[in-house]
Amino acid sequence: MKVLILRNEPAAIERAADIVARTVRDLPAAVLGLATGGTMLPLYQVLAQRHRDEGLSFAKTTSFNLDEYIGLAPDHPCSYHYYMQEAFFRHVDIDPARCHLPKGDAADPRAASGDYEALIEAAGGIDLQLLGIGQNGHIGFNEPTASLGSRTRIKTLTTSTRRANQRYFASFEETPRYAITTGVATILASRKCLLIATGAAKAEAVANMIEGPLSAVCPASALQLHPRATIILDAAAASALKLTEYYETVHPQGRDSAFD
Ligand code: GLP
């Protein structure tokens, strides 16, 4: 794992944007795994700005989002389809025909999950997977005890996740109970992955992911098995780590090491 600790959130987001931009410049037809959540909003803003100011192009990329709530149509303002449209897709030159999210409103969500996994495979797999982390250590909607061998499927959300996401809905009762999410094994199959965590509320989950045991209790700890996982943290999200001095020796201020 490459652990990059940046002094604050804007610096962490700029560093993450550099990695996304480099991937897309090196591989214009990259398959991107995209994530939602509050952490990703400033990243999408920076990428959209680089598109406008520097011509960073997503025209040839394909994207697959991690997850979607079951029961929400794409035009529902709390759906992840809507989030992606508003936060990113409509600000850049990505081809809408190549932007994929699980179909949360499918008549048969189980079949839709299998179809989604097959679509990722047919696209040749994911070149760069973006990830946030839940306060309980989830990635996508792979909640604690999710199978580390899982592929895209339906997951029941924990009460803590529903409470964390309640802020986007009118009430806790209206917050969806189920989601379609790509699995832990789907995420591990990506060629590179980039997890971003900012803020003190993520510090404990981050410490469990990086320095805790590999365990389904913290699904993000599965990234310990990923051969090319980069974790970008701001100082607050890194505050519960024990080996900080080592991470800063290898990557001072989050920069690449001499051998990267
Ligand atoms: C959500 C999403 C995750 C996201 C996480 C953290 O529920 N399913 O993909 O990474 O929770 O969200 P935030 O960045 O808002 O803290």
Side-chain angles (χ1 to χ4, degrees):
M1 257 183 191
K2 204 162 143 178
V3 180
L4 310 182
I5 303 174
L6 283 298
R7 62 189 183 286
N8 56 25
E9 193 214 23
I13 295 298
E14 286 292 331
R15 186 70 171 93
D18 288 346
I19 292 175
V20 176
R22 197 193 310 147
T23 301
V24 170
R25 288 205 172 100
D26 289 351
L27 194 65
V31 178
L32 302 174
L34 300 180
T36 51
T39 311
M40 295 296 151
L41 286 173
L43 174 65
Y44 292 135
Q45 273 169 16
V46 170
L47 291 174
Q49 195 183 333
R50 291 190 189 190
H51 168 67
R52 280 193 306 273
D53 300 349
E54 300 163 21
L56 179 65
S57 176
F58 296 87
K60 293 183 180 157
T61 63
T62 296
S63 73
F64 288 94
N65 263 79
L66 282 168
D67 45 20
E68 178 58 288
Y69 292 113
I70 288 184
L72 301 194
D75 61 354
H76 189 293
C78 298
S79 72
Y80 285 159
H81 279 79
Y82 193 89
Y83 168 111
M84 288 307 301
Q85 195 55 37
E86 290 303 306
F88 187 52
F89 295 154
R90 76 184 182 89
H91 303 287
V92 294
D93 57 350
I94 196 164
D95 178 356
R98 282 202 296 267
C99 296
H100 307 283
L101 287 95
K103 292 186 174 31
D105 61 343
D108 183 347
R110 198 169 283 145
S113 302
D115 292 347
Y116 196 68
E117 186 74 35
L119 208 56
I120 295 174
E121 220 162 282
I126 289 170
D127 292 303
L128 177 66
Q129 176 68 61
L130 291 181
L131 294 165
I133 184 170
Q135 288 178 35
N136 64 2
H138 74 214
I139 44 176
F141 271 132
N142 293 285
E143 298 283 37
T145 73
S147 161
L148 301 186
S150 53
R151 295 283 174 167
T152 307
R153 72 220 181 289
I154 299 167
K155 281 299 286 179
T156 303
L157 305 183
T158 62
T159 302
S160 74
T161 294
R162 290 180 65 214
R163 287 210 195 288
N165 291 354
Q166 181 184 340
R167 63 189 190 277
Y168 301 111
F169 294 85
S171 68
F172 179 68
E173 274 316 302
E174 280 180 42
T175 309
R177 291 166 189 273
Y178 305 99
I180 297 177
T181 179
T182 55
V184 178
T186 319
I187 292 167
L188 290 181
S190 60
R191 285 181 273 284
K192 278 191 292 182
C193 73
L194 174 60
L195 185 144
I196 307 164
T198 51
K202 300 293 172 67
E204 192 187 336
V206 163
N208 290 335
M209 161 177 67
I210 298 172
E211 297 176 348
L214 170 63
S215 166
V217 171
C218 177
S221 68
L223 297 184
Q224 294 172 18
L225 292 171
H226 196 294
R228 293 182 77 194
T230 299
I231 314 293
I232 293 190
L233 307 171
D234 66 358
S239 59
L241 291 169
K242 294 199 178 76
L243 303 179
T244 309
E245 195 195 327
Y246 176 64
Y247 309 134
E248 287 180 338
T249 302
V250 184
H251 300 290
Q253 282 125 47
R255 289 195 297 270
D256 281 343
S257 81
F259 297 102
D260 281 332

